[in-house]
Amino acid sequence: MLILECPYCGVKAEESELAAGGEAHLKRFGAGSTDEDFEGYLFARKNPKGVHFERWRHAYGCGKWFLAARCTATLEVFGTYPAQTAEPPADLVAKIKQKRPEWEGYK
Amino acid sequence: MSEPVSISASAPAAAQASAPAPVSALNGASFEGMVKIREAGACGMITLRGNFASEAFVSAVKSASGLDLPGIRQVVRADGMTLGWMSPDELMLMLPYAEVPGVLARLNAALAGEHALAVDVSDARAVFVLTGTRAREVLAKLSPADLAPGHFAEGELRRTRLAQVPAAFWMTGEAEVTLFCFRSVAGYVMGLLTTAAAPGGEVGAW
């Protein structure tokens, strides 16, 4: 069972209260971009065994989107943070680095 | 309705002199088992959206309801008004059904020019009242929320899932919980509650 703490309302929400939204921090490529960039934006997703940044929505609670960093292999949750950010907060990245020294880092 | 357990329905309270009596989702259905469950009938509800950091918004809410903004996940009550925190930019004001037009007019006047929204949603939801010391237990059977004493107490409004539908509830006393869900799923929620509260279904974990 996956438990993520919603950064907006502080509820430690069990997975069934949430809706998954796929990979976080996608860079949008729209009109005027190259075909490769647009294709990558639409279809190419990371699928790591290990640290992954994801979008989640507190669907049955406050309804807000937030982001979470977790390990896809162990389900360990490193942290959650509000969605109004273009990249993971530095303290969270440092925390993950400490726990997973072999992790290649964000991006 | 086709619930297996007998549910009695009682007529709603006498109508206001002019307006026709509001019809609630389950017409005041009730059930008595581990706890007493009662559909609360027509309740006035105003949904409020706005910037909680805006002084104009806070003072508009205060002047219309007499209540200060609740903190995160909190619910505050006074003089028949209940104000609950729904999300970082949404509040729910619950009040007697007949008072809605007046309060809404005051709110809209006070919120003029403000980027905010106040809407009468009284008929969009169904309200239930669960009475009995095992009310927590009944809800804990249906929701993933941590309802253990000490983790969920009076003053907190919890929006969560009841089986397959969204709902919100808060304690209105030591042994009383008020709950609301969308009107369209009122029959489903009554079915859930009556099944979870069926006599003999006590868990006794707390």
Side-chain angles (χ1 to χ4, degrees):
Chain A
M1 186 167 73
L2 186 62
I3 294 177
L4 300 175
E5 184 172 342
C6 171
Y8 298 101
C9 64
V11 163
K12 286 190 172 58
E14 189 251 347
E15 194 179 344
S16 67
E17 276 189 79
L18 306 168
E23 187 183 325
H25 303 303
L26 291 180
K27 186 173 185 313
R28 186 174 186 276
F29 289 95
S33 57
T34 65
D35 285 356
E36 288 72 29
D37 281 344
F38 186 58
E39 187 203 7
Y41 161 63
L42 280 185
F43 302 114
R45 294 292 180 269
K46 292 174 188 150
N47 186 21
K49 181 182 180 186
V51 180
H52 193 221
F53 295 89
E54 294 172 339
R55 301 169 74 225
W56 286 87
R57 192 170 85 90
H58 194 186
Y60 284 95
C62 66
K64 299 295 177 195
W65 283 99
F66 64 93
L67 307 180
R70 67 175 185 107
C71 176
T72 57
T74 65
L75 295 196
E76 179 181 2
V77 177
F78 302 111
T80 55
Y81 50 102
Q84 288 75 24
T85 173
E87 55 181 48
D91 56 336
L92 181 63
V93 171
K95 186 179 155 194
I96 302 171
K97 270 276 188 216
Q98 198 181 7
K99 286 189 170 181
R100 300 286 158 92
E102 76 285 1
W103 178 50
E104 74 278 16
Y106 172 67
K107 279 193 181 164
Chain B
M1 287 202 316
S2 60
E3 268 70 22
V5 203
S6 70
I7 294 166
S8 63
S10 63
Q16 290 287 308
S18 53
V23 179
S24 70
L26 300 180
N27 210 18
S30 65
F31 170 80
E32 202 151 349
M34 255 163 67
V35 299
K36 209 169 154 230
I37 298 160
R38 176 172 62 84
E39 197 241 358
C43 298
M45 289 191 194
I46 295 173
T47 194
L48 281 156
R49 293 202 94 136
N51 180 2
F52 291 7
S54 152
E55 258 175 53
F57 181 77
V58 175
S59 68
V61 173
K62 173 85 178 172
S63 68
S65 69
L67 293 165
D68 290 315
L69 250 58
I72 292 176
R73 295 210 316 277
Q74 299 297 299
V75 56
V76 287
R77 289 191 291 161
D79 298 332
M81 298 266 190
T82 303
L83 187 62
W85 188 97
M86 299 288 277
S87 88
D89 54 6
E90 183 182 351
L91 298 168
M92 180 69 82
L93 178 63
M94 284 153 282
L95 66 170
Y97 194 90
E99 288 176 24
V100 170
V103 172
L104 195 61
R106 290 214 302 278
L107 271 170
N108 279 326
L111 288 172
E114 183 74 2
H115 184 63
L117 189 72
V119 179
D120 176 7
V121 291
S122 306
D123 298 310
R125 288 177 176 78
V127 181
F128 295 88
V129 179
L130 282 68
T131 320
T133 49
R134 292 188 181 274
R136 262 177 208 280
E137 199 172 305
V138 169
L139 289 176
K141 287 185 184 184
L142 302 169
S143 149
D146 186 355
L147 300 178
H151 288 255
F152 181 73
E154 214 172 325
E156 178 175 354
L157 183 149
R158 184 67 156 86
R159 294 181 75 182
T160 182
R161 176 176 67 81
L162 285 187
Q164 299 185 45
V165 296
F169 46 76
W170 66 100
M171 299 194 81
T172 33
E174 247 329 292
E176 188 182 271
V177 177
T178 305
L179 175 154
F180 64 68
C181 63
F182 287 114
R183 185 187 183 109
S184 56
V185 294
Y188 173 78
V189 168
M190 188 65 181
L192 287 178
L193 292 171
T194 50
T195 307
E202 293 83 358
V203 179
W206 298 317

